[in-house]
Amino acid sequence: MSSRPSLRSERRWALWGSYAALALFAVFFLTPPVYMLITSLKTSAEIGGQAGSPWVVRHPTLQNYLDLIGNPHFRVFFFNSLKVTLCVVAVSMAISVLAAFSLARMKFWGSGVLAAGVFLTYLVPDSLLFIPLFQIIGKLGLTNNVWCLVLLFPTLAVPFCTWIMIGYFASIPKELDEAALIDGASWMQLLFRIFIPVALPGIIAATIFAFTISWGTLLYPLAYLYSSDQMVLTVGILTELIRGDVFEWGRIMAGSLLAAMPPVLIYVFLMDYYIAGLTAGATKG
Amino acid sequence: MEERRVAETLRAAGAVAASSAPWSRMSPRGGGLRRFARRRSSVAVLLCLPLLALIGGLVLYPALYAVWLAMLNKHMTRFVGLGNFLFLLHRPAFQAVILQSVIFAVSAVVFKALIGFLLAHLLHAVPGRSQRVWRGLLLLPWVIPLAMSTLGWWWLFDPSYSAFNWVLNVFGVPSVPGLGATWWARFSVILVNVWYGAPFFMIMYLAALKSVPEQLYEAAAIDGAGAWARLRYITLPMMRNILSITILFSLIVTFANFDIVRILTAGGPQDQTHIFATYAFVAGIQSGDIPLGAAISLFMLPILALGAVFVLRGITRRSAEQAG
């Protein structure tokens, strides 16, 4: 009897301990983005002055953001990123949904090998093949052409999207498509009327994945694009805003935060789908 | 979630059945069965064609092409066999790259796994709604595009404006050369990688923790098992598969990482922080020695292939467990 209150208080202490430890890690994890935000609100004069703590904004200004939004280069980068990302998402989802439907439901010669191959392709990193791809892009005449990314990014997005979708499609009860097929539905009707609506959470998770890959990947655009009308946002910020020895840190940080905004917004509003997609590789399929 | 999905399934099934009912009379039976099977597999192959084209044309072909490229001389006029690989292996600068890649990947993965494991446990101990909030905050480093957050780290480490050094100086600690001295720069790139990747481990381990049946812990508690025994005999065995899959996966991705080193140090000081990807970029793209760059990248292949095989084995085993 007497041990009960102490057990409860012990538990409460453990909970507070957990909170304290989590807070410590939150400081570590949030320091860079917060400091980016702080810097982005300062003028170059305030940053250069180095008076007092760099962690405080004395004269907050949105000038850096306004400069960027008014900057035609920056707008081009943004629309290039948007254009590429929308195309990559559409292409990747079309390829992976069709393939996943086939691999999850219709066994054919070599389908098992292909499914394993898809997963192995997912593990091929961009830095392994960017040199031969540089040559191939050159031969296709797509060097310094932003559309080359629409060709290349699906190789990074499709394997994982297919893998997620195989998992979601495989979890749909078989009786359902057998019944529909006996009733005379075609395969395409089956896909569009049953599989896609039922596996919608998986479709959203895969779309988010394709979006983040296409929006954030640095290596391909850095290697294959060089003129500012063909640049996408990640590389544009690196190359256009960082020139010579004079770094406009306020503006660089503002640009980085603006570029980080779309994925972060998607994450905030679709967190459950985002996390489902993240953990799908290991818990599904 | 699950109930809703079933409800949607049934509704969709009803819709299809209703819309396709009139045709059911026309579909041929009897001899059509074989044709049906044939059509099924040909439709299947057709649906996979775009995927096959993508993998064949933009993954397999470039991989084989990389092997061919790596065996040419700098101007790609002459076949030199394994010359590039031998040249690289004998070069101290490249030996340093191999060493640094191993240091970078192994130490970053170890710390990511430890921090992720700890965070998953801390989160698991926190009740429902506030767990969601904490999880949302702590996953943020993984969500921000890596190139952008690395720029933020670069600014934090800036030699003359470093905000870290300002904090250190407040506590009377002298400034550290975050990116200027070899070991500090190596520490910094690993730190940024741990910062970026630990939340991923956290999310994976949290999902695994949640899948461990609560009854096991209750039974263990009745048997008088302490926290350590529960971890050792329940949590770790139940999570073993996810633990190994995540670690191997992260090892592959970390080995092949490009963004962090490229932006933070660009390989410096004196090429001491270069890893395979950034070194291949400098050699292949910036200096224009395509074959050498291809050869450097290909050095990653054995490690990646080994990791990939084990990941695939883990995944297959796990899905077999879940099915059975």
Side-chain angles (χ1 to χ4, degrees):
Chain A
M1 254 311 156
S2 64
S3 76
R4 209 183 224 168
S6 82
L7 194 68
R8 192 186 296 160
S9 78
E10 205 174 275
R11 224 176 243 168
R12 199 166 52 221
W13 275 110
L15 192 60
W16 282 115
S18 294
Y19 280 128
L22 284 173
L24 214 63
F25 277 105
V27 170
F28 170 50
F29 283 163
L30 296 181
T31 297
V34 168
Y35 188 59
M36 289 165 84
L37 182 67
I38 290 173
T39 307
S40 74
L41 298 174
K42 292 181 185 176
T43 60
S44 292
E46 185 176 345
I47 294 169
Q50 282 192 295
S53 168
W55 299 90
V56 181
V57 192
R58 285 179 195 75
H59 311 287
T61 167
L62 288 177
Q63 199 53 47
N64 291 317
Y65 290 93
L66 296 177
D67 282 352
L68 283 173
I69 293 168
N71 182 334
H73 281 311
F74 190 81
R75 280 208 296 260
V76 169
F77 303 157
F78 179 83
F79 284 114
N80 278 342
S81 271
L82 196 67
K83 192 164 75 180
V84 165
T85 301
L86 291 180
C87 293
V88 168
V89 167
V91 170
S92 304
M93 289 313 292
I95 296 178
S96 48
V97 165
L98 291 180
F101 178 56
S102 157
L103 290 174
R105 270 305 191 266
M106 316 175 192
K107 296 278 174 286
F108 58 92
W109 186 83
S111 60
V113 177
L114 183 56
V118 166
F119 188 74
L120 289 180
T121 320
Y122 166 51
L123 298 176
V124 173
D126 52 359
S127 51
L128 185 64
L129 298 178
F130 74 104
I131 303 268
L133 285 172
F134 180 74
Q135 290 294 99
I136 292 170
I137 289 298
K139 277 183 193 151
L140 293 174
L142 288 173
T143 307
N144 193 29
N145 183 333
V146 71
W147 291 107
C148 76
L149 300 178
V150 178
L151 205 60
L152 296 177
F153 282 155
T155 62
L156 303 176
V158 163
F160 189 61
C161 292
T162 310
W163 188 253
I164 299 179
M165 291 320 299
I166 292 178
Y168 274 92
F169 284 163
S171 70
I172 294 172
K174 275 221 168 62
E175 292 77 22
L176 203 61
D177 35 312
E178 276 159 16
L181 285 174
I182 287 170
D183 280 343
S186 72
W187 286 104
M188 285 299 110
Q189 280 178 315
L190 194 62
L191 174 60
F192 284 101
R193 298 268 178 87
I194 299 185
F195 276 67
I196 288 181
V198 172
L200 202 60
I203 302 241
I204 298 174
T207 307
I208 294 174
F209 178 80
F211 181 93
T212 51
I213 285 281
S214 168
W215 189 267
T217 299
L218 175 74
L219 176 53
Y220 290 163
L222 187 67
Y224 310 145
L225 308 175
Y226 46 83
S227 68
S228 54
D229 61 321
Q230 301 294 327
M231 212 65 92
V232 292
L233 209 47
T234 42
V235 183
I237 289 166
L238 268 178
T239 54
E240 288 286 310
L241 298 183
I242 300 177
R243 277 198 168 149
D245 292 331
V246 188
F247 290 1
E248 301 217 32
W249 280 107
R251 203 179 297 177
I252 296 172
M253 292 298 113
S256 304
L257 287 177
L258 284 177
M261 212 28 101
V264 171
L265 283 179
I266 287 181
Y267 168 66
V268 169
F269 287 108
L270 299 171
M271 191 187 291
D272 289 326
Y273 296 108
Y274 193 102
I275 289 172
L278 214 56
T279 49
T283 54
K284 281 210 179 291
Chain B
M1 192 74 166
E2 205 52 44
E3 284 160 85
R4 215 183 69 210
R5 199 191 284 180
V6 172
E8 280 168 12
T9 310
L10 293 177
R11 191 149 37 94
V16 168
S19 74
S20 57
W23 305 333
S24 56
R25 242 166 289 136
M26 300 198 295
S27 71
R29 284 197 73 72
L33 207 62
R34 204 182 304 145
R35 203 183 311 145
F36 178 67
R38 202 164 52 209
R39 205 186 69 188
R40 179 187 173 113
S41 72
S42 47
V43 169
V45 173
L46 214 62
L47 292 179
C48 282
L49 272 185
L51 176 79
L52 286 168
L54 185 81
I55 294 182
L58 291 169
V59 180
L60 277 182
Y61 168 63
L64 297 174
Y65 190 40
V67 176
W68 167 248
L69 278 176
M71 295 196 284
L72 300 176
N73 70 344
K74 179 171 180 178
H75 302 290
M76 294 191 273
T77 49
R78 199 160 46 80
F79 184 81
V80 294
L82 297 177
N84 285 321
F85 296 99
L86 294 174
F87 168 76
L88 281 168
L89 280 177
H90 284 113
R91 212 171 149 183
F94 187 68
Q95 291 162 1
V97 170
I98 299 178
L99 181 68
Q100 169 61 8
S101 298
V102 173
I103 295 175
F104 176 74
V106 171
S107 54
V109 169
V110 166
F111 282 106
K112 282 189 276 195
L114 288 176
I115 292 176
F117 193 73
L118 177 64
L119 280 173
H121 274 274
L122 291 172
L123 276 181
H124 199 51
V126 163
R129 176 173 295 183
S130 76
Q131 186 188 92
R132 256 184 84 80
V133 174
W134 282 105
R135 189 188 64 175
L137 275 179
L138 293 173
L139 194 62
L140 205 62
W142 180 261
V143 177
I144 302 172
L146 182 56
M148 300 297 101
S149 48
T150 308
L151 274 176
W153 278 100
W154 191 29
W155 171 228
L156 276 164
F157 286 130
D158 184 274
S160 39
Y161 295 93
S162 172
F164 280 148
N165 282 335
W166 186 87
V167 174
L168 288 179
N169 293 343
V170 165
F171 290 105
V173 182
S175 299
V176 295
L179 305 173
T182 301
W183 283 101
W184 277 112
R186 287 181 174 170
F187 170 79
S188 301
V189 290
I190 292 166
L191 179 74
V192 175
N193 195 289
V194 171
W195 173 85
Y196 169 67
F200 173 70
F201 276 81
M202 173 192 83
I203 280 295
M204 296 298 277
Y205 290 171
L206 186 63
L209 271 181
K210 285 183 174 175
S211 70
V212 179
E214 198 61 37
Q215 297 98 300
L216 291 182
Y217 292 110
E218 283 161 16
I222 290 168
D223 289 345
W228 171 247
R230 287 199 297 262
L231 182 72
R232 172 76 183 76
Y233 295 106
I234 301 177
T235 313
L236 285 180
M238 291 297 286
M239 285 175 68
R240 201 184 58 204
N241 222 326
I242 291 264
L243 284 174
S244 58
I245 292 171
T246 314
I247 288 175
L248 283 167
F249 173 75
S250 176
L251 207 55
I252 293 175
V253 176
T254 312
F255 235 102
N257 187 284
F258 172 77
D259 300 17
I260 294 175
V261 173
R262 175 70 203 172
I263 294 175
L264 212 55
T265 66
Q270 281 100 45
D271 290 350
Q272 292 298 305
T273 56
H274 263 311
I275 53 178
F276 287 119
T278 54
Y279 199 60
F281 188 89
V282 170
I285 306 286
Q286 285 183 319
S287 314
D289 193 341
I290 294 280
L292 199 65
I296 294 167
S297 278
L298 281 179
F299 268 98
M300 286 192 282
L301 192 61
I303 303 153
L304 300 185
L306 201 66
V309 167
F310 280 106
V311 175
L312 189 66
R313 219 178 59 175
I315 295 251
T316 340
R317 193 179 296 159
R318 186 172 162 79
S319 44
E321 272 169 19
Q322 285 183 331

